[in-house]
Amino acid sequence: VHFIDGTLHVEGDRIEAGLSEFDRALKINPEAMSVQFARMSALNMKGDFNGALEAGQRYEAAIGTDVDLKLEYARARVGLKQNDEAERLLKSCLAEVADHAQCLAELADLVPAARESELDGPLGKLKNFDASLGEALDLSIAEERKLGARALLTAAKRVKPASPVIAKYAPLVKAL
């Protein structure tokens, strides 16, 4: 019950209330690693990046590393201004799951314009280019990540210039 309540609070942008519920759930069952992961995500949303890393380490010690954990670690590292480590984590995520749109969108936002061509590699490895690129662009646009959206679109033009996604999203990205 506390895990569900915590999740609902976080989804409703009531992070503190969600964290309190997650803490209650962990008092009842300290082995509930799904709660620990949700707590990590909420701590990242709150801006407690060191707390998020600690929660992630507890999750990792029990479960191991997975792509979603790498994404949350990357978010914490960005919050701590450790962009090189965040970039490494996001690239590792994409090496495991090439079509992970959230990792792709966040990597595009993180890579400086001077190194934008580094996105060509991950885009070239997409198994479902149009769908995954579209999803990554949707995320970038929804989160108003202007530079990341532009970087994705520019790289897509180099990797697969005939993609219909480019024509569909170009005016949306331009409007950001």
Side-chain angles (χ1 to χ4, degrees):
V1 171
H2 294 294
F3 175 62
I4 294 169
D5 287 347
T7 302
L8 293 172
H9 283 304
V10 170
E11 288 175 357
D13 209 25
R14 296 179 305 277
I15 307 301
E16 287 295 336
L19 286 167
S20 294
E21 291 296 328
F22 294 150
D23 289 343
R24 287 185 187 112
L26 288 168
K27 283 181 185 173
I28 294 167
N29 182 3
E31 306 297 315
M33 289 300 112
S34 57
V35 177
Q36 196 65 258
F37 183 83
R39 188 171 177 278
M40 177 189 192
S41 181
L43 287 165
N44 267 336
M45 290 177 197
K46 179 184 172 189
D48 182 356
F49 305 115
N50 286 314
L53 291 174
E54 290 171 14
Q57 289 165 352
R58 286 191 286 277
Y59 175 89
E60 184 177 7
I63 304 294
T65 302
D66 58 38
V67 293
D68 292 322
L69 179 63
K70 288 178 184 180
L71 175 60
E72 288 300 328
Y73 272 148
R75 289 174 173 162
R77 295 297 180 187
V78 167
L80 293 169
K81 307 289 187 234
Q82 298 171 355
N83 291 354
D84 289 344
E85 178 62 11
E87 186 178 325
R88 185 195 67 74
L89 287 160
L90 292 167
K91 286 178 178 177
S92 175
C93 172
L94 290 166
E96 284 184 51
V97 180
D99 289 76
H100 198 296
Q102 189 70 52
C103 286
L104 184 59
E106 295 197 23
L107 179 62
D109 199 47
L110 192 58
V111 172
R115 294 180 24 234
E116 187 177 89
S117 64
E118 291 179 22
L119 294 172
D120 296 4
L123 282 175
K125 293 177 183 172
L126 294 176
K127 292 174 180 37
N128 191 342
F129 187 89
D130 292 336
S132 297
L133 175 62
E135 186 178 349
L137 285 166
D138 282 337
L139 291 165
S140 292
I141 291 166
E143 296 169 9
E144 297 181 3
R145 295 176 176 197
K146 180 180 185 176
L147 296 177
R150 286 185 178 167
L152 279 172
L153 203 57
T154 301
K157 289 176 184 176
R158 287 190 300 269
V159 173
K160 192 174 176 187
S163 170
V165 172
I166 295 168
K168 176 182 177 183
Y169 283 90
L172 299 172
V173 171
K174 187 176 182 178
L176 281 178

